[in-house]
Amino acid sequence: PMLSKVCMIIQAMMKSLSFALLVSLLPAVSAFSGSSIPNSRAVGTSTALGAVNGIWNTANDFGKGKFRFYDGLDSYMNPFPDEDRELYPEMFKLPKGTYEVPLSKPCGIVFEEIEANCGVYVADLVEGGNADSQGVVQKGDVLVGTTAVQIAGAKWERRLIPARKFGFDLVVDAIGSNDIKWGCNNVIMMFERPGEADSEEVDKFLEFFEPPADTPWKLPV
């Protein structure tokens, strides 16, 4: 009995130590361009579409494969066979009222939060800036996705990440991570236009791009 009690005490101490170590590490982990510790809170995905070898890479496969660099929906979905296009046509086009736009930095967009640390919309465009000159982004549009670069060790990927719940700081980090040293000559943002888009339909579409919890991509939102 005494040995059992000692073992139980040691196990409890180990659990406490592990938790304390994890908490002490979390503040030092940046959201993009260097994070290699996935957040443990999983968000369920329900898309039935299966990718060639899966679109998300874990462990030694991180930074490899056909889906490691997002450069627009059409090119990203090219590896899927015609069978998938017939079975899931809604996954090969953007939902109504949603568009993606590639922009050089600085983008020239003034974002404001919809709620405190949750969601941003286009409050204004810098006159003569890249977004204003391109003529696609409008005031009031809601950011629902953005490309971001994530690094794990010596490997990296650029992915489209759902951003509806991103606060201002996380949006800035994501956009800033699209650096030329990672082969990024632009940042691709996905916007929803209020009054034209069905937010539930857009969110369902974006489930496909939601990072699993067992990858370096899982974010604390």
Side-chain angles (χ1 to χ4, degrees):
M2 179 61 71
L3 181 59
S4 298
K5 290 182 179 180
V6 171
C7 290
M8 291 175 64
I9 292 172
I10 291 175
Q11 289 175 352
M13 290 175 63
M14 291 298 291
K15 287 181 180 179
S16 298
L17 179 60
S18 298
F19 178 76
L21 179 59
L22 176 60
V23 170
S24 68
L25 286 173
L26 285 177
V29 178
S30 60
F32 298 102
S33 297
S35 171
S36 60
I37 301 177
N39 187 279
S40 60
R41 181 166 62 88
V43 176
T45 56
S46 60
T47 179
L49 182 62
V52 179
N53 296 326
I55 72 166
W56 293 100
N57 302 318
T58 60
N60 292 333
D61 290 328
F62 183 83
K64 301 177 182 178
K66 302 174 182 178
F67 300 99
R68 63 179 295 272
F69 191 94
Y70 189 93
D71 199 27
L73 182 65
D74 290 342
S75 61
Y76 193 74
M77 302 301 278
N78 272 341
F80 290 93
D82 292 339
E83 181 182 2
D84 282 340
R85 298 173 189 275
E86 294 174 1
L87 289 172
Y88 311 102
E90 69 279 3
M91 292 304 304
F92 293 86
K93 61 180 181 180
L94 293 172
K96 180 182 177 181
T98 307
Y99 65 93
E100 62 179 14
V101 55
L103 288 170
S104 299
K105 297 186 298 180
C107 301
I109 299 175
V110 179
F111 287 111
E112 286 188 6
E113 291 186 333
I114 299 172
E115 298 178 14
N117 204 35
C118 185
V120 299
Y121 71 97
V122 179
D124 204 356
L125 299 175
V126 177
E127 185 175 357
N130 288 327
D132 182 45
S133 299
Q134 197 172 63
V136 178
V137 182
Q138 295 182 9
K139 293 181 183 180
D141 289 350
V142 176
L143 183 71
V144 294
T146 181
T147 52
V149 172
Q150 188 74 295
I151 303 168
K155 301 176 183 178
W156 60 273
E157 296 181 347
R158 178 168 105 154
R159 301 281 189 155
L160 177 76
I161 303 297
R164 187 186 295 280
K165 296 182 180 180
F166 281 15
F168 180 81
D169 290 341
L170 198 52
V171 168
V172 171
D173 286 347
I175 293 173
S177 70
N178 291 265
D179 194 272
I180 190 66
K181 65 183 177 182
W182 309 119
C184 308
N185 58 9
N186 60 27
V187 54
I188 298 178
M189 286 180 275
M190 187 177 294
F191 289 94
E192 172 185 288
R193 186 150 292 163
E196 297 182 17
D198 182 332
S199 294
E200 290 186 5
E201 180 183 347
V202 175
D203 288 345
K204 184 171 180 60
F205 171 82
L206 287 170
E207 285 179 356
F208 180 68
F209 299 93
E210 185 70 42
D214 60 346
T215 74
W217 277 103
K218 196 62 215 171
L219 303 175
V221 294

Coordinates of all heavy atoms in Angstrom, one line a residue, residues 148-206:
A148 N -0.8 32.5 -44.7 CA 0.2 32.8 -43.7 C 1.3 31.7 -43.8 O 1.0 30.6 -44.3 CB -0.5 32.7 -42.3
V149 N 2.5 32.1 -43.4 CA 3.6 31.2 -43.4 C 3.9 30.6 -42.0 O 3.9 31.4 -41.0 CB 4.9 31.9 -43.9 CG1 6.1 31.0 -43.8 CG2 4.7 32.3 -45.4
Q150 N 4.0 29.3 -41.9 CA 4.4 28.7 -40.6 C 5.6 27.9 -40.8 O 5.9 27.2 -41.8 CB 3.2 27.8 -40.2 CG 3.3 27.2 -38.8 CD 3.1 28.2 -37.7 OE1 3.8 29.2 -37.6 NE2 2.0 28.0 -37.0
I151 N 6.5 28.0 -39.8 CA 7.8 27.3 -39.8 C 7.9 26.3 -38.7 O 7.5 26.5 -37.6 CB 9.0 28.3 -39.6 CG1 8.9 29.4 -40.7 CG2 10.3 27.6 -39.7 CD1 9.8 30.6 -40.4
A152 N 8.4 25.1 -39.0 CA 8.7 24.1 -38.0 C 10.1 23.6 -38.3 O 10.3 22.9 -39.3 CB 7.7 23.0 -38.1
G153 N 11.0 23.9 -37.5 CA 12.4 23.6 -37.7 C 13.0 24.3 -38.9 O 12.9 25.5 -39.0
A154 N 13.5 23.5 -39.9 CA 14.0 24.1 -41.1 C 13.0 24.0 -42.2 O 13.3 24.4 -43.4 CB 15.3 23.3 -41.5
K155 N 11.8 23.7 -41.9 CA 10.7 23.5 -43.0 C 9.7 24.6 -42.8 O 9.5 25.1 -41.7 CB 10.1 22.1 -42.9 CG 11.1 21.0 -43.1 CD 10.4 19.7 -43.0 CE 11.4 18.5 -43.1 NZ 10.7 17.2 -42.9
W156 N 9.0 24.9 -43.9 CA 7.9 25.9 -43.8 C 6.8 25.6 -44.9 O 7.0 24.9 -45.8 CB 8.5 27.3 -44.1 CG 9.2 27.4 -45.5 CD1 10.5 27.1 -45.8 CD2 8.6 27.9 -46.7 NE1 10.7 27.3 -47.1 CE2 9.5 27.8 -47.7 CE3 7.3 28.3 -47.0 CZ2 9.3 28.2 -49.0 CZ3 7.0 28.7 -48.3 CH2 8.0 28.6 -49.3
E157 N 5.7 26.2 -44.6 CA 4.5 26.1 -45.5 C 3.8 27.4 -45.6 O 3.8 28.2 -44.6 CB 3.5 25.0 -45.0 CG 4.1 23.6 -45.0 CD 3.0 22.6 -44.5 OE1 2.0 23.0 -44.0 OE2 3.3 21.4 -44.7
R158 N 3.1 27.7 -46.7 CA 2.2 28.8 -46.8 C 0.8 28.2 -47.0 O 0.6 27.5 -48.0 CB 2.6 29.8 -47.9 CG 1.5 31.0 -47.9 CD 2.0 32.1 -48.8 NE 1.3 32.2 -50.1 CZ 1.1 33.3 -50.8 NH1 1.6 34.4 -50.3 NH2 0.5 33.2 -52.0
R159 N -0.1 28.5 -46.2 CA -1.5 28.0 -46.3 C -2.5 29.1 -46.2 O -2.2 30.2 -45.7 CB -1.7 27.0 -45.1 CG -0.8 25.8 -45.0 CD -1.2 24.8 -46.0 NE -0.4 23.5 -45.8 CZ -0.8 22.3 -46.1 NH1 -2.0 22.2 -46.7 NH2 0.0 21.3 -45.9
L160 N -3.7 28.8 -46.7 CA -4.8 29.6 -46.5 C -5.5 29.2 -45.2 O -5.8 28.0 -45.0 CB -5.9 29.5 -47.6 CG -7.1 30.3 -47.4 CD1 -6.9 31.8 -47.7 CD2 -8.3 29.8 -48.3
I161 N -5.6 30.2 -44.2 CA -6.1 29.9 -42.9 C -7.4 30.6 -42.7 O -7.5 31.8 -42.9 CB -5.1 30.3 -41.8 CG1 -3.8 29.6 -42.1 CG2 -5.6 30.0 -40.4 CD1 -3.8 28.1 -42.0
P162 N -8.5 29.9 -42.2 CA -9.7 30.6 -41.9 C -9.4 31.7 -40.8 O -8.8 31.5 -39.8 CB -10.6 29.5 -41.3 CG -10.1 28.3 -42.0 CD -8.6 28.5 -42.1
A163 N -9.9 32.9 -41.0 CA -9.6 34.1 -40.2 C -10.8 34.8 -39.6 O -10.6 35.9 -39.1 CB -8.7 35.0 -41.0
R164 N -11.9 34.3 -39.7 CA -13.1 35.0 -39.2 C -13.0 35.3 -37.7 O -13.5 36.4 -37.3 CB -14.4 34.2 -39.4 CG -15.7 35.0 -39.1 CD -16.9 34.1 -39.2 NE -17.2 33.7 -40.5 CZ -17.8 34.4 -41.5 NH1 -18.1 35.7 -41.2 NH2 -18.1 33.9 -42.7
K165 N -12.3 34.5 -36.9 CA -12.2 34.7 -35.5 C -10.9 35.4 -35.1 O -10.6 35.5 -33.9 CB -12.4 33.4 -34.7 CG -13.8 32.8 -34.9 CD -13.9 31.5 -34.1 CE -15.3 30.9 -34.3 NZ -15.4 29.6 -33.5
F166 N -10.1 35.8 -36.1 CA -8.8 36.4 -35.8 C -9.0 37.8 -35.2 O -9.8 38.6 -35.8 CB -7.9 36.5 -37.0 CG -7.2 35.2 -37.4 CD1 -7.6 34.0 -36.9 CD2 -6.2 35.3 -38.3 CE1 -7.0 32.8 -37.2 CE2 -5.5 34.1 -38.7 CZ -5.9 32.9 -38.1
G167 N -8.3 38.2 -34.2 CA -8.2 39.5 -33.8 C -7.3 40.3 -34.6 O -6.6 39.8 -35.5
F168 N -7.2 41.6 -34.4 CA -6.3 42.5 -35.2 C -4.9 42.1 -35.2 O -4.2 42.0 -36.2 CB -6.4 44.0 -34.7 CG -5.6 44.9 -35.5 CD1 -6.1 45.4 -36.7 CD2 -4.4 45.3 -35.0 CE1 -5.3 46.3 -37.4 CE2 -3.6 46.2 -35.7 CZ -4.1 46.7 -36.9
D169 N -4.3 41.8 -34.0 CA -2.9 41.4 -33.9 C -2.6 40.1 -34.7 O -1.5 40.0 -35.3 CB -2.5 41.2 -32.4 CG -2.5 42.6 -31.7 OD1 -2.4 43.6 -32.3 OD2 -2.5 42.5 -30.4
L170 N -3.5 39.1 -34.6 CA -3.2 37.9 -35.3 C -3.3 38.1 -36.8 O -2.6 37.5 -37.6 CB -4.2 36.8 -34.9 CG -3.9 35.4 -35.2 CD1 -2.5 35.0 -34.6 CD2 -4.9 34.4 -34.5
V171 N -4.2 39.0 -37.3 CA -4.3 39.3 -38.7 C -3.0 39.9 -39.2 O -2.5 39.6 -40.2 CB -5.5 40.2 -39.0 CG1 -5.4 40.8 -40.4 CG2 -6.8 39.5 -38.8
V172 N -2.5 40.9 -38.4 CA -1.2 41.6 -38.7 C -0.1 40.5 -38.8 O 0.7 40.6 -39.7 CB -0.9 42.7 -37.7 CG1 0.5 43.2 -38.0 CG2 -1.9 43.8 -37.9
D173 N 0.0 39.6 -37.9 CA 1.0 38.6 -37.9 C 0.9 37.7 -39.1 O 1.9 37.4 -39.7 CB 0.9 37.7 -36.6 CG 1.4 38.4 -35.3 OD1 2.0 39.5 -35.5 OD2 1.1 37.9 -34.3
A174 N -0.3 37.3 -39.4 CA -0.5 36.4 -40.6 C -0.1 37.1 -41.9 O 0.7 36.5 -42.7 CB -2.0 36.0 -40.6
I175 N -0.5 38.3 -42.1 CA -0.2 39.1 -43.3 C 1.3 39.3 -43.4 O 2.0 39.1 -44.4 CB -0.9 40.4 -43.4 CG1 -2.4 40.2 -43.5 CG2 -0.4 41.3 -44.5 CD1 -3.3 41.4 -43.4
G176 N 1.9 39.7 -42.2 CA 3.3 39.9 -42.2 C 4.2 38.7 -42.5 O 5.3 38.8 -42.9
S177 N 3.7 37.5 -42.2 CA 4.5 36.3 -42.4 C 4.7 35.9 -43.9 O 5.5 35.1 -44.2 CB 3.8 35.1 -41.7 OG 2.6 34.7 -42.3
N178 N 3.9 36.6 -44.8 CA 4.0 36.3 -46.2 C 5.2 37.1 -46.7 O 5.1 38.1 -47.4 CB 2.8 36.7 -46.9 CG 1.6 35.8 -46.6 OD1 1.3 34.9 -47.4 ND2 0.9 36.1 -45.5
D179 N 6.4 36.6 -46.4 CA 7.6 37.4 -46.7 C 8.3 36.8 -48.0 O 8.2 35.6 -48.3 CB 8.6 37.3 -45.5 CG 9.7 38.3 -45.6 OD1 10.8 37.9 -46.3 OD2 9.6 39.4 -45.1
I180 N 9.0 37.7 -48.7 CA 9.7 37.3 -49.9 C 10.7 36.2 -49.7 O 10.9 35.3 -50.6 CB 10.4 38.5 -50.6 CG1 10.8 38.2 -52.0 CG2 11.5 39.0 -49.7 CD1 9.7 37.8 -53.0
K181 N 11.3 36.1 -48.5 CA 12.3 35.0 -48.2 C 11.6 33.6 -48.2 O 12.3 32.6 -48.3 CB 13.0 35.3 -46.9 CG 12.2 35.2 -45.7 CD 13.0 35.6 -44.5 CE 12.2 35.6 -43.2 NZ 13.0 36.0 -42.0
W182 N 10.3 33.6 -48.1 CA 9.6 32.3 -48.2 C 8.9 32.1 -49.5 O 8.0 31.3 -49.7 CB 8.5 32.2 -47.1 CG 9.1 32.5 -45.7 CD1 8.7 33.5 -44.9 CD2 10.1 31.8 -45.0 NE1 9.4 33.5 -43.7 CE2 10.3 32.5 -43.8 CE3 10.9 30.7 -45.4 CZ2 11.3 32.0 -42.9 CZ3 11.9 30.3 -44.4 CH2 12.1 31.0 -43.2
G183 N 9.4 32.9 -50.5 CA 8.8 32.8 -51.9 C 7.5 33.5 -52.1 O 6.8 33.2 -53.0
C184 N 7.1 34.4 -51.1 CA 5.8 35.1 -51.2 C 6.0 36.5 -51.8 O 6.6 37.3 -51.2 CB 5.2 35.2 -49.8 SG 5.1 33.6 -48.9
N185 N 5.5 36.7 -53.0 CA 5.5 38.0 -53.6 C 4.2 38.7 -53.4 O 3.9 39.8 -53.9 CB 5.8 38.0 -55.1 CG 4.9 37.1 -55.9 OD1 3.8 36.7 -55.4 ND2 5.2 36.9 -57.1
N186 N 3.3 38.1 -52.6 CA 2.0 38.7 -52.2 C 1.4 38.0 -51.0 O 2.0 37.1 -50.5 CB 1.0 38.6 -53.4 CG 0.7 37.1 -53.8 OD1 0.8 36.2 -53.0 ND2 0.3 36.9 -55.0
V187 N 0.3 38.5 -50.6 CA -0.5 37.9 -49.6 C -1.9 37.7 -50.2 O -2.4 38.6 -50.8 CB -0.6 38.7 -48.2 CG1 -1.1 40.1 -48.5 CG2 -1.5 38.0 -47.2
I188 N -2.5 36.5 -50.0 CA -3.8 36.3 -50.6 C -4.8 36.3 -49.4 O -4.7 35.6 -48.5 CB -3.9 34.9 -51.3 CG1 -2.9 35.0 -52.5 CG2 -5.3 34.7 -51.8 CD1 -2.8 33.7 -53.3
M189 N -5.8 37.2 -49.6 CA -6.8 37.3 -48.5 C -8.2 37.0 -49.1 O -8.5 37.2 -50.3 CB -6.9 38.8 -48.0 CG -5.7 39.1 -47.0 SD -5.7 40.8 -46.4 CE -4.9 41.6 -47.7
M190 N -9.0 36.4 -48.3 CA -10.4 36.0 -48.7 C -11.4 36.9 -47.9 O -11.3 36.9 -46.7 CB -10.6 34.5 -48.5 CG -12.0 34.0 -49.0 SD -12.2 32.2 -48.8 CE -10.9 31.6 -49.9
F191 N -12.3 37.5 -48.6 CA -13.2 38.4 -48.0 C -14.7 37.9 -48.3 O -15.0 37.3 -49.3 CB -13.1 39.8 -48.6 CG -11.8 40.5 -48.1 CD1 -10.7 40.5 -48.9 CD2 -11.8 41.2 -46.9 CE1 -9.5 41.1 -48.5 CE2 -10.6 41.9 -46.5 CZ -9.5 41.8 -47.3
E192 N -15.5 38.3 -47.3 CA -17.0 38.1 -47.4 C -17.6 39.4 -47.5 O -17.3 40.3 -46.7 CB -17.4 37.3 -46.2 CG -18.9 37.1 -46.1 CD -19.3 36.5 -44.7 OE1 -19.0 35.3 -44.6 OE2 -19.8 37.2 -43.8
R193 N -18.6 39.6 -48.5 CA -19.2 40.8 -48.7 C -20.6 40.8 -48.0 O -21.5 40.0 -48.4 CB -19.4 41.2 -50.1 CG -20.0 42.6 -50.4 CD -19.4 43.1 -51.7 NE -18.0 43.4 -51.6 CZ -17.2 43.6 -52.7 NH1 -17.7 43.5 -53.9 NH2 -15.9 43.8 -52.5
P194 N -20.8 41.5 -46.9 CA -22.1 41.5 -46.2 C -23.3 41.9 -47.2 O -23.1 42.7 -48.0 CB -21.9 42.6 -45.1 CG -20.5 42.7 -44.9 CD -19.8 42.4 -46.3
G195 N -24.4 41.2 -47.0 CA -25.5 41.4 -47.8 C -25.5 40.5 -49.1 O -26.6 40.4 -49.7
E196 N -24.4 40.0 -49.4 CA -24.3 39.1 -50.6 C -23.9 37.7 -50.3 O -24.3 36.7 -51.0 CB -23.2 39.7 -51.6 CG -23.6 41.0 -52.2 CD -22.5 41.5 -53.2 OE1 -21.7 40.6 -53.6 OE2 -22.5 42.7 -53.5
A197 N -23.2 37.5 -49.2 CA -22.7 36.2 -48.8 C -23.6 35.6 -47.7 O -24.2 36.3 -46.8 CB -21.3 36.2 -48.3
D198 N -23.7 34.3 -47.6 CA -24.3 33.5 -46.5 C -23.2 33.1 -45.6 O -22.4 32.2 -46.0 CB -25.1 32.3 -47.1 CG -25.8 31.5 -46.0 OD1 -25.3 31.5 -44.9 OD2 -26.8 30.9 -46.3
S199 N -23.1 33.6 -44.4 CA -21.9 33.4 -43.5 C -21.8 31.9 -43.2 O -20.7 31.4 -43.1 CB -22.0 34.2 -42.3 OG -21.9 35.6 -42.6
E200 N -23.0 31.2 -43.0 CA -22.9 29.8 -42.7 C -22.4 29.0 -43.8 O -21.6 28.1 -43.6 CB -24.3 29.3 -42.3 CG -24.9 29.9 -41.0 CD -26.2 29.2 -40.6 OE1 -26.6 28.3 -41.3 OE2 -26.8 29.6 -39.6
E201 N -22.7 29.3 -45.0 CA -22.2 28.6 -46.2 C -20.7 28.9 -46.3 O -19.9 28.0 -46.6 CB -22.9 29.1 -47.4 CG -22.5 28.5 -48.7 CD -23.1 29.0 -50.0 OE1 -24.1 29.7 -49.8 OE2 -22.7 28.7 -51.1
V202 N -20.3 30.1 -46.1 CA -18.8 30.4 -46.1 C -18.1 29.7 -45.1 O -17.0 29.1 -45.4 CB -18.6 32.0 -46.0 CG1 -17.1 32.3 -45.9 CG2 -19.3 32.7 -47.1
D203 N -18.6 29.6 -43.9 CA -17.9 28.9 -42.8 C -17.8 27.4 -43.1 O -16.8 26.8 -42.8 CB -18.6 29.1 -41.5 CG -18.4 30.5 -40.9 OD1 -17.5 31.2 -41.4 OD2 -19.1 31.0 -40.0
K204 N -18.8 26.9 -43.7 CA -18.8 25.4 -44.0 C -17.7 25.2 -45.1 O -17.0 24.2 -45.0 CB -20.2 25.0 -44.5 CG -20.2 23.5 -44.8 CD -21.7 23.0 -45.1 CE -21.7 21.5 -45.4 NZ -21.2 20.7 -44.3
F205 N -17.6 26.1 -46.1 CA -16.6 26.0 -47.1 C -15.2 26.0 -46.5 O -14.3 25.2 -46.8 CB -16.8 27.1 -48.1 CG -15.7 27.2 -49.1 CD1 -15.6 26.4 -50.2 CD2 -14.6 28.1 -48.9 CE1 -14.6 26.5 -51.2 CE2 -13.6 28.3 -49.8 CZ -13.6 27.4 -51.0
L206 N -15.0 26.9 -45.5 CA -13.7 27.1 -44.9 C -13.3 26.0 -43.9 O -12.1 25.9 -43.6 CB -13.7 28.4 -44.2 CG -13.6 29.7 -45.1 CD1 -13.8 31.0 -44.3 CD2 -12.3 29.7 -45.8

